[in-house]
Amino acid sequence: MKTIKDVAKAAGVSVATVSRVLNHEKQVSSKTREQVLRVIDEIGYTPNVLGRNLRVRATDRILVLLPSLSNQFYSSVLKGVEAVASAQGYQTMISVTHNDAEVERGYINLLYNRSVDGILLMSSSLPAQEITAIAAERPLVMCSEYNEGARLSTVGVNNFQAAFDAVSYLINAGHRRIAMISSEQTYSGRLRTQGYQAALKQAGLTFRPEYLINTQYSFRSGLEACEILLHLPEAPTAVFAISDVLAAGVMKRLQQAGQIPGRDVDVFGFDNISLADMLTPAVSTVSQPRLEIGKKATELLLGKIADIHSPDQAVVLPHQLVLRQTTRRVVSPAVFPAEKIG
Amino acid sequence: MKTIKDVAKAAGVSVATVSRVLNHEKQVSSKTREQVLRVIDEIGYTPNVLGRNLRVRATDRILVLLPSLSNQFYSSVLKGVEAVASAQGYQTMISVTHNDAEVERGYINLLYNRSVDGILLMSSSLPAQEITAIAAERPLVMCSEYNEGARLSTVGVNNFQAAFDAVSYLINAGHRRIAMISSEQTYSGRLRTQGYQAALKQAGLTFRPEYLINTQYSFRSGLEACEILLHLPEAPTAVFAISDVLAAGVMKRLQQAGQIPGRDVDVFGFDNISLADMLTPAVSTVSQPRLEIGKKATELLLGKIADIHSPDQAVVLPHQLVLRQTTRRVVSPAVFPAEKIG
DNA sequence: TTGTATGCGTTATCAG
DNA sequence: CTGATAACGCATACAA
């Protein structure tokens, strides 16, 4: 393995000069620069970035922590992350925690042993105070999910309002028996449940506990929840699920029961992942501005890397209702300004 | 930021001793060990792994390069990778190339600047000879995809045979007009096309060029390909697509045309991602042993890390036909031993 | 414009 | 069992 010293020797200059060429510093004559570059090319030298990292105390690398790779949702968020990261000269890496706190801590430790400059959390299994403590001393930002009570920069949508809007839409379309498939595992899930209840209340509908099913974020959970709903004495006429994958499970079960989503029972999902449009009929859903979430979160993260004491921000980006084939058209459009329905 | 020197000073020992404690070396008295550990805990010291990496010339980290995050297929492969990597003390990181050769080179460069110990390629946009050259000097292994002509360790299925089996199944089920949606962009795609043609030939069916559509791996491409097939003077009675996402596009278009997959037109996908089972009707598909692919590939990669001159291997793992609702039952089961159909 | 010398934080060699 | 010290590869303050 060649080192900067080999280059210096072969080029007949000092290592300092080679280093200057490598770092594009101006104060080096063009002839020595060319000479050095030629030698670098000749002997096939690649700088060992570990030496540099150790010296400059930075890796120019950020890490994105995902709970799993199987959620399509993160794909576009990541595009936003990469866009601003690479524009600032940072490389993006991803690791998967599988919702395992120990695994997550292992990756977060990379922040302390200087392997990465900052971490973007798309979800976390750690207690809020632990997150707060880490974020206080290292660049750590959360997006799309939020652990209640944690103090750090965050980016996401107004989950309460998003659910409120979706459910209000269903009510406005004439539904009176609306079920929700949610999850208490995440703060966003709890907020969406509150939005659901608030929408019912505002419309003067009474909340029926049997219409609220708390479960996991999975296709199977959607199937099972729908199974329960179908067997209720008075089955709901619409189902609002807090993820498109859950909604897919609902769709599947409905069709197994010979029902057609959008005709017999309306279905509303959340996330607007590609799956929602792949299913037949195409699923109405709540869309989050994923690209923007990724971009904004990365900006905040890079800000923290530049100055760990930059003030925390809680950025809320606008959501949209995407109406497709699993929901009736709304009856009184007045309630929803067209701009909002997108 | 505390260093090993701070620990040494506070514990009244040398840095060498601290280092020994850190690396769990046996030759250190238990009382000094405890003393050191106590100090480490007290002053809140975290080893700077960059110093260590520089010294030991290793990062204990491997990188997995994916073409995109939106392909569910990679999720389970990654589980296999993580399983064997973490068992050997390696951390796994992922980066996305978006099929951009320059981006890919940027990440592969991490191999040369010592930022990662090895790279697992799930796909590559680089010419075969470039891959060969890199793999000759650094730990680089490919899995699930293969660039024709490249010399390096690989893991995957027999794509020719897998396509041959799927198409033969359709033929055996009575189909005579079988279309294929493939792609010439990948070697696996080209092999699968050959398998398709070989199966037709073996059954004495003539290959019809209008039944072979070469396109991209995307939902939209599946839609469009199906659109073309539907308008053929003599439309096919079955469609074999080289990915489940393509098959999903086919399904969608069929249903838009009022046709029911599995009744009017049979559909066969490839990969067995969760999507295949989410759709209604559930899609028959070719399953690859993803977990095993990830495991085996990682074993080969770690072998290369241990010894770059360890011999290259081309591991072929068994595929399976997963029969669901979009294909008729086979007429003469004799042709396909039950074990194989899984 | 270029070179010298030092340190980044750690591990490993060699004495003791 | 422990300590002093020289690398590891690079960047940079200071000289020249």
Side-chain angles (χ1 to χ4, degrees), chain A residues 320-321 323 333-342:
Chain A
Q320 283 191 313
L321 301 189
L323 305 173
V335 176
F336 283 87
E339 316 75 90
K340 204 168 190 177
I341 292 179

Side-chain angles (χ1 to χ4, degrees), chain A residues 81-90 302:
Chain A
V81 173
E82 287 174 326
V84 356
S86 73
Q88 305 285 346
Y90 283 79
L302 296 185

Side-chain angles (χ1 to χ4, degrees), chain A residues 37-258:
Chain A
L37 290 175
R38 183 173 335 117
V39 170
I40 286 178
D41 192 52
E42 276 174 23
I43 72 175
Y45 163 72
T46 311
N48 178 331
V49 84
L50 295 180
R52 165 175 228 283
N53 290 344
L54 182 60
R55 182 62 222 249
V56 305
R57 300 153 176 289
T59 61
D60 295 337
R61 194 184 306 142
I62 62 172
L63 180 68
V64 177
L65 247 35
L66 305 180
S68 87
L69 261 202
S70 63
N71 191 335
Q72 296 281 109
F73 176 79
Y74 302 117
S75 177
S76 355
V77 180
L78 192 79
K79 286 207 183 105
V81 173
E82 287 174 326
V84 356
S86 73
Q88 305 285 346
Y90 283 79
Q91 247 174 351
T92 304
M93 293 192 151
I94 304 157
S95 284
V96 182
T97 65
H98 302 291
N99 292 313
D100 180 322
E102 273 318 305
V103 172
E104 185 176 343
R105 288 195 184 93
Y107 284 113
I108 286 182
N109 192 44
L110 297 177
L111 228 34
Y112 288 89
N113 70 29
R114 315 292 331 172
S115 289
V116 299
D117 292 350
I119 290 186
L120 187 54
L121 241 39
M122 305 285 261
S123 151
S124 176
S125 305
L126 304 182
Q129 66 266 33
E130 189 173 348
I131 293 178
T132 301
I134 297 165
E137 43 189 18
R138 304 288 158 186
L140 183 71
V141 167
M142 276 196 93
C143 75
S144 88
E145 189 50 79
Y146 171 64
N147 287 29
E148 192 171 2
R151 296 174 54 106
L152 80 171
S153 281
T154 58
V155 182
V157 297
N158 184 330
N159 286 289
F160 174 91
Q161 189 65 43
F164 184 92
D165 291 350
V167 175
S168 295
Y169 180 87
L170 290 169
I171 293 171
N172 244 267
H175 291 283
R176 292 297 170 265
R177 302 204 305 274
I178 303 170
M180 176 170 196
I181 303 176
S182 189
S183 173
E184 294 188 320
Q185 295 175 341
T186 59
Y187 188 47
S188 64
R190 298 192 291 276
L191 288 172
R192 290 174 196 175
T193 300
Q194 291 172 24
Y196 160 75
Q197 293 177 316
L200 293 181
K201 186 169 185 181
Q202 160 151 330
L205 298 176
T206 58
F207 166 64
R208 300 188 181 198
E210 72 271 28
Y211 279 0
L212 174 60
I213 298 186
N214 278 301
T215 180
Q216 335 277 328
Y217 287 77
S218 75
F219 177 71
R220 171 156 295 281
S221 301
L223 268 178
E224 293 168 351
C226 187
E227 171 79 15
I228 293 172
L229 293 174
L230 283 175
H231 284 84
L232 249 29
E234 209 173 23
T237 61
V239 179
F240 173 46
I242 60 168
S243 89
D244 289 337
V245 172
L246 277 172
V250 172
M251 301 269 293
K252 182 84 173 190
R253 187 65 193 80
L254 286 176
Q255 291 178 90
Q256 285 174 345

